[in-house]
Amino acid sequence: DASPCRLLFLDGVLHMANQTDRVFHETLVHPAMFAHPSPKSVGILGGGDGGSLREVLKHKSVTDVTMVELDEKVVSVSKEYLPEISDCSDIVGSKPNCFDDDRLSLIFTDAFAYVKEKKEANGKFDVLVADVNQPENQDEYTDADTVNALVESLSPLGVLVINAGEAPMIVDPRADKGMQPKREAFTKLLEAHPKIASIFVFEDAQSGYVDPVAFLVACRDASCRKNWYGQTDEINYQVFDRLQAMKSKKPALIQFDGATQRSYQVPPRAWETVYCRREPEPFECAYRGLDMTKELFEYYPKNEDESAFVIRESKEGAENDAAVYATVDIPEGSYIMPTHLAASLEVSEDSAKDSNATAHLEGVGEADVLTDFVDYIDENGHSARDGSGKIYVEIGGSRVIRESDDASEVNIRRWVPAHPDGARPKYSPVYDRHRHSFDVFLVASRDIKAGEEIVKPGDLWDY
């Protein structure tokens, strides 16, 4: 049946439409909630329509919610004319109206002033949802003291999420000169804050606005990357395990699931393009794609005539049984066995740990196949630098390359060197978009002559 779409405007700005509120609020709330391992105390700044509150209350772990809304009339008008937005009647364990939930403390005052002045809120919130205006309409996002108060209100594993406004376009100028300079200022304040470890941006085009809406998530601890970069099935299980059941037996969510979160893990190219217009250009922007001026040198075990490498038995007394030798001259900067490395097996650290435990179950006897698998991972795998909890396991000819701590022997290196700052940036759409390639590709660190053994450094994948 057709029904009218009701729109909520605040100070002349479209705030919410009842037909798209679930999409918007699921997108705002759940990526941040699932980035935290078990959020108990949640803060909501603004959100007087009740949509963010409704989504937060779906989480079983939540024990208390503090909502700070400037205008009491926003709540009363929303409850009267947009009652479906604050309807919690289908959520097991909640009241018919979300605002009547016993876990809620509703405070009517300026939300940003409250965070700045209420020192007892420091370290309180596991997740803080800023359901207020986007940065271009909210000057507080550019105030260093306010941003510091937001960060200080987070618990040690706390997560902050905001509606970051209109998503960028690939033709946009440098962010501080474009349509969203306050968002860029806010992002840089977070980057500079010593208690922020990771920042993610993502966007959604289904939230009821003309243009795709951007969102920003900031974490106090880098461990949230493991949750953020979860596999589709992992996140789907978390949704099943962590959300309350619905009395109607309908799905609790209509927008967010594991596949949706996977799409949020890789920001659209416009974010990378605009980020790389910063001055000076960030270091990693030089590695947005393979250098097409460099050659690819492949290993073909069944076609020695075409192969740039050959595997031979090691010299007597060598630690390895075999060694890799170049059959042609390889210029510095050329890619080494890129096809084999791109095919590296991806295994989660949790899976490797569980496999090891299963292989040695007490009273069952060792499972030789699993034991061999775990040993292979240990010998040929390295942890991803992005904190995702993934292990990349080399399965091709590259795994035979000898390691050496003698720098004079070494002739290959990682494609992307270690960041000059010593660690991955807190915020970088480039790293988010190219995590796999940054962690697997190798290049020649100097000119390699035909017949020379290929040797990698012993600390190749150390960070």
Side-chain angles (χ1 to χ4, degrees):
D1 294 333
S3 59
C5 179
R6 289 187 169 180
L7 308 177
L8 175 63
F9 288 84
L10 297 178
D11 298 323
V13 178
L14 175 62
H15 179 72
M16 188 49 54
N18 66 338
Q19 291 185 352
T20 56
D21 108 86
R22 285 192 65 180
V23 175
F24 175 84
H25 286 115
E26 285 186 22
T27 305
L28 175 66
V29 171
H30 295 296
M33 294 291 283
F34 285 104
H36 191 283
S38 181
K40 294 178 174 59
S41 181
V42 178
I44 300 174
L45 307 184
D49 55 50
S52 289
L53 175 62
R54 180 193 66 227
E55 298 306 317
V56 166
L57 292 175
K58 291 178 181 178
H59 285 257
K60 298 175 185 176
S61 60
V62 172
T63 58
D64 65 272
V65 182
T66 302
M67 175 183 281
V68 188
E69 167 59 54
L70 177 63
D71 191 348
E72 188 172 354
K73 194 170 184 179
V74 173
V75 175
S76 60
V77 167
S78 296
K79 289 170 71 173
E80 181 175 357
Y81 295 101
L82 301 165
E84 62 271 42
I85 296 182
S86 60
D87 183 1
C88 281
S89 61
D90 199 28
I91 304 174
V92 172
S94 190
K95 298 291 179 66
N97 188 279
C98 303
F99 287 106
D100 297 324
D101 195 285
D102 295 336
R103 291 167 288 180
L104 174 65
S105 296
L106 181 56
I107 301 166
F108 292 106
T109 188
D110 181 272
F112 290 101
Y114 174 86
V115 173
K116 288 177 70 174
E117 295 168 5
K118 292 290 183 179
K119 301 301 182 184
E120 66 269 22
N122 279 8
K124 174 181 175 63
F125 300 123
D126 296 320
V127 175
L128 181 59
V129 180
D131 190 1
V132 292
N133 288 327
Q134 58 155 305
E136 298 313 307
N137 299 324
Q138 198 80 54
D139 290 340
E140 289 86 348
Y141 281 127
T142 61
D143 177 67
D145 291 337
T146 301
V147 173
N148 180 65
L150 292 173
V151 175
E152 291 292 346
S153 72
L154 299 175
S155 64
L157 298 179
V159 180
L160 167 69
V161 61
I162 74 163
N163 168 2
E166 185 179 318
M169 297 179 64
I170 207 163
V171 296
D172 286 353
R174 202 176 75 199
D176 60 341
K177 302 294 184 182
M179 297 293 291
Q180 301 282 338
K182 292 180 181 178
R183 177 171 68 205
E184 176 73 351
F186 175 66
T187 303
K188 288 189 171 182
L189 286 171
L190 289 176
E191 289 177 87
H193 201 290
K195 291 185 178 179
I196 289 295
S198 300
I199 302 169
F200 308 100
V201 289
F202 62 101
E203 62 185 60
D204 193 277
Q206 312 299 322
S207 296
Y209 296 86
V210 175
D211 297 298
V213 178
F215 301 86
L216 182 148
V217 167
C219 303
R220 277 196 61 165
D221 194 274
S223 63
C224 81
R225 288 177 178 164
K226 183 176 180 180
N227 297 325
W228 186 262
Y229 295 133
Q231 298 286 353
T232 299
D233 54 350
E234 293 176 316
I235 298 164
N236 282 338
Y237 176 76
Q238 291 293 321
V239 170
F240 167 79
D241 185 56
R242 290 171 51 170
L243 295 190
Q244 292 283 6
M246 299 293 108
K247 297 174 185 176
S248 65
K249 308 301 181 183
K250 294 180 180 179
L253 306 178
I254 63 170
Q255 162 75 356
F256 183 83
D257 64 5
T260 304
Q261 176 62 26
R262 286 283 279 180
S263 73
Y264 295 159
Q265 295 169 7
V266 182
R269 192 168 184 175
W271 288 96
E272 174 184 81
T273 301
V274 174
Y275 170 79
C276 288
R277 291 186 174 129
R278 285 183 171 185
E279 296 178 2
E281 182 182 85
F283 161 81
E284 65 272 20
C285 291
Y287 300 94
R288 283 177 280 175
L290 299 183
D291 187 343
M292 302 306 290
T293 67
K294 303 298 183 182
E295 295 182 73
L296 309 180
F297 289 85
E298 301 280 11
Y299 171 54
Y300 301 113
K302 295 183 179 180
N303 189 346
E304 290 190 8
D305 292 338
E306 296 292 328
S307 181
F309 307 95
V310 63
I311 296 178
R312 299 184 187 134
E313 190 174 322
S314 295
K315 299 173 184 177
E316 187 175 348
E319 184 176 338
N320 291 6
D321 294 331
V324 179
Y325 294 87
T327 60
V328 296
D329 291 343
I330 301 176
E332 180 181 351
S334 300
Y335 295 93
I336 306 297
M337 302 186 189
T339 299
H340 281 222
L341 288 163
S344 295
L345 179 66
E346 183 180 297
V347 180
S348 74
E349 292 174 353
D350 290 339
S351 293
K353 188 183 301 182
D354 291 344
S355 296
N356 185 53
T358 303
H360 300 94
L361 285 175
E362 188 174 347
V364 176
E366 292 198 355
D368 292 340
V369 173
L370 274 180
T371 300
D372 291 345
F373 177 62
V374 171
D375 289 344
Y376 187 91
I377 293 174
D378 288 341
E379 292 172 10
N380 301 289
H382 63 271
S383 295
R385 77 174 74 183
D386 57 22
S388 64
K390 303 295 188 297
I391 300 172
Y392 293 113
V393 186
E394 296 176 41
I395 59 175
S398 61
R399 68 184 179 83
V400 186
I401 296 174
R402 180 168 65 90
E403 293 183 358
S404 175
D405 294 325
D406 183 349
S408 65
E409 283 192 301
V410 171
N411 51 22
I412 63 173
R413 62 168 175 82
R414 299 198 312 255
W415 169 45
V416 181
H419 197 280
D421 292 342
R424 169 185 164 160
K426 299 175 183 180
Y427 167 66
S428 175
V430 180
Y431 274 93
D432 281 335
R433 285 176 52 82
H434 304 281
R435 292 182 293 123
H436 184 87
S437 60
F438 280 16
D439 262 323
V440 297
F441 287 129
L442 301 174
V443 297
S445 57
R446 59 173 173 80
D447 291 341
I448 301 173
K449 298 296 184 182
E452 187 177 347
E453 184 184 2
I454 307 301
V455 182
K456 59 187 177 183
D459 60 353
L460 177 64
W461 300 112
D462 292 347
Y463 304 108

